[in-house]
Amino acid sequence: MKYYLYALLAFILDQVTKWIIVKKVPLGEERPVIGDFFMITSHRNRGAAFGILQDQRWFFIVVTIIVLCGIVWYMQRTIREGKVLLPFALCLLFGGAFGNFVDRALFAEVVDFFQFTFDFNFFGKEVDYIFPIFNVADSCIVVGVILIFIESILASRKEKKGATHEHKPDLT
């Protein structure tokens, strides 16, 4: 049950921050937080990550419903198995996916606002890159995926370690 509370917290944080942006920051306005590196920029995205698949609202709604059902099913399974990191990762995925789902379902667009600009010199070559604007839901999804990756590595190492101990010859 606690994992669903974590998902709910991620969802609420996402929705509250989006609401603040919609109410307090006019569309297109940029507000510096850390100079030009990190800004709050009021932006709307009618597509997916990096602005792909613009105006495919119903596709996203259907796919997200399927994904959310899959996450709940898999989270229940991992909780029953006594895992800790994987259900937490899945609750972040759920909270983030549900946050963006609500935006798409109600408004046909997602509110994005975190903007990072990378402007520096790298071994004599100028780097000037604006990372695509994102939101709290996107951050939850990314952190969830990273945690799943970490869990996979840890599980793989544990399996290899177990296999090594099982096949060690008895030298006594």
Side-chain angles (χ1 to χ4, degrees):
M1 187 65 181
K2 68 180 175 182
Y3 295 107
Y4 292 102
L5 289 175
Y6 296 146
L8 179 62
L9 286 172
F11 170 75
I12 290 171
L13 180 62
D14 173 64
Q15 292 298 297
V16 166
T17 55
K18 289 173 180 174
W19 181 84
I20 291 169
I21 295 300
V22 168
K23 295 295 182 193
K24 304 286 184 186
V25 184
L27 186 61
E29 184 172 309
E30 298 176 344
R31 294 189 181 174
V33 177
I34 302 174
D36 290 337
F37 170 67
F38 173 42
M39 297 202 286
I40 298 296
T41 302
S42 183
H43 178 75
R44 305 301 179 271
N45 184 358
R46 300 178 68 84
F50 307 107
I52 62 171
L53 298 172
Q54 290 292 310
D55 295 314
Q56 300 298 313
R57 178 183 186 191
W58 291 107
F59 170 76
F60 289 120
I61 288 173
V62 170
V63 168
T64 304
I65 289 170
I66 293 167
V67 167
L68 290 172
C69 291
I71 290 171
V72 169
W73 173 80
Y74 194 53
M75 190 169 10
Q76 285 301 119
R77 183 175 158 195
T78 60
I79 291 169
R80 279 193 302 271
E81 292 172 357
K83 295 184 178 181
V84 176
L85 184 59
L86 193 52
F88 182 71
L90 292 169
C91 81
L92 289 176
L93 283 175
F94 186 90
F98 191 64
N100 283 341
F101 170 80
V102 167
D103 286 3
R104 283 192 184 97
L106 296 179
F107 310 114
E109 62 188 10
V110 174
V111 176
D112 290 330
F113 51 91
F114 291 133
Q115 180 179 339
F116 288 88
T117 302
F118 300 92
D119 186 11
F120 57 91
N121 201 326
F122 186 70
F123 294 109
K125 183 169 174 124
E126 184 66 29
V127 174
D128 187 13
Y129 177 71
I130 299 173
F131 192 83
I133 303 171
F134 61 100
N135 58 41
V136 172
D138 299 332
S139 300
C140 289
I141 292 167
V142 168
V143 170
V145 168
I146 290 168
L147 291 175
I148 289 170
F149 182 69
I150 290 169
E151 169 69 20
S152 298
I153 291 170
L154 295 174
S156 175
R157 286 184 176 175
K158 188 176 179 180
E159 284 178 21
K160 286 180 182 177
K161 195 176 209 180
T164 303
H165 289 302
E166 287 175 13
H167 299 293
K168 260 189 176 176
D170 187 11
L171 301 175
T172 55

